[in-house]
Amino acid sequence: MRSGAGPVTAYDDLPYTRGGTVDRSEVGALVQSAVDGDTAAWKAIVEGLSPLVWSVVRAHRLSDADGHEVYQTVWFRFAQHLGRIREPDKAGSWLASTARNECLKVIKSLRRLTPTDDPQLLDRVSEDRTPEQSVLDSEEAAAQSERVRHLWQEFEALGERCRQLLRVLISSPPPSYQEVSAALGIAVGSIGPMRQRCLRRLRARLDARGAL
């Protein structure tokens, strides 16, 4: 069995937010089928749960190269342990926990908290525009781009824990609280209240800036 292949583009590009989906109620059965050699089941697992893995990587703000390495390592380890996972229906939590551990290993090895080349995710649209497209952009689009830029500037000003949590929660498909707990080491019962506090802080910062 082979490990999952990473997306063609960088982990912060569109495939990250538009990855495949898999019904969590079917994960256990898919894992068992993959153990039995069903390549279609393996593909469904990789496509469905890759967005969760990427969300954990992104939450730890690894560089593009380190992120891809962690992604490949996680799926390699998953393939290695596929037949020994005690609770196949919780494969998502296993992947999230493994991704978190691998990210922390990379961060520790580099002796840093955050990379120096953090991708400016929200500027992708403006960066990719051609000069012709820029000329044709409407004032409304420009205003929207400015609002988005303000949003993410204030987002980056939040505490590290809030940024990690919100990055994971906005992944698609949205992870379960059990998966978030495994990815970030936060108690399941604390995730909801912490999410609300983080969102209130973000809204307060945007209100103060007049960006809402």
Side-chain angles (χ1 to χ4, degrees), residues 6-208:
V8 176
T9 55
Y11 68 83
D12 52 295
D13 285 335
L14 292 180
Y16 161 74
T17 56
R18 297 181 182 178
T21 60
V22 60
D23 190 326
R24 287 190 180 82
S25 65
E26 300 175 355
V27 170
L30 286 172
V31 170
Q32 187 56 58
S33 295
V35 170
D36 294 337
D38 187 336
T39 57
W42 173 257
K43 181 178 180 181
I45 294 170
V46 173
E47 290 182 348
L49 295 178
S50 281
L52 173 62
V53 177
W54 285 123
S55 72
V56 176
V57 173
R58 187 177 172 187
H60 287 81
R61 305 180 69 188
L62 300 184
S63 69
D64 185 72
D66 289 339
H68 276 87
E69 183 176 350
V70 167
Y71 176 88
Q72 294 290 348
T73 299
V74 169
W75 283 110
F76 177 71
R77 296 197 187 287
F78 184 70
Q80 282 184 314
H81 293 82
L82 193 60
R84 303 195 297 274
I85 295 178
R86 295 181 179 179
E87 299 179 280
D89 59 318
K90 295 182 179 179
S93 294
W94 191 99
L95 287 165
S97 180
T98 302
R100 174 175 179 263
N101 290 336
E102 291 300 322
C103 287
L104 293 178
K105 286 181 183 177
V106 171
I107 293 172
K108 183 178 179 180
S109 70
L110 296 174
R111 295 181 180 180
R112 64 186 181 186
L113 296 177
T114 58
T116 58
D117 55 352
D118 182 39
Q120 299 298 316
L121 302 178
L122 299 178
D123 287 334
R124 290 288 183 184
V125 175
S126 59
E127 290 174 359
D128 292 340
R129 288 171 182 154
T130 64
E132 293 80 7
Q133 289 173 322
S134 296
V135 171
L136 295 174
D137 282 343
S138 66
E139 290 185 1
E140 181 179 353
Q144 176 62 20
S145 178
E146 188 69 11
R147 285 193 294 270
V148 170
R149 186 174 295 105
H150 288 164
L151 168 63
W152 284 90
Q153 286 176 344
E154 296 304 331
F155 176 86
E156 290 299 329
L158 292 174
E160 180 67 20
R161 205 58 168 159
C162 278
R163 294 198 302 270
Q164 286 186 331
L165 177 63
L166 295 178
R167 281 192 180 105
V168 171
L169 288 174
I170 63 175
S171 64
S172 177
S176 67
Y177 274 16
Q178 288 74 22
E179 291 166 345
V180 175
S181 175
L184 301 179
I186 302 173
V188 171
S190 299
I191 294 173
M194 182 176 175
R195 172 179 176 274
Q196 292 300 320
R197 288 196 300 273
C198 292
L199 289 176
R200 281 198 298 268
R201 290 174 189 169
L202 180 58
R203 177 174 287 276
R205 295 187 68 89
L206 291 170
D207 279 338

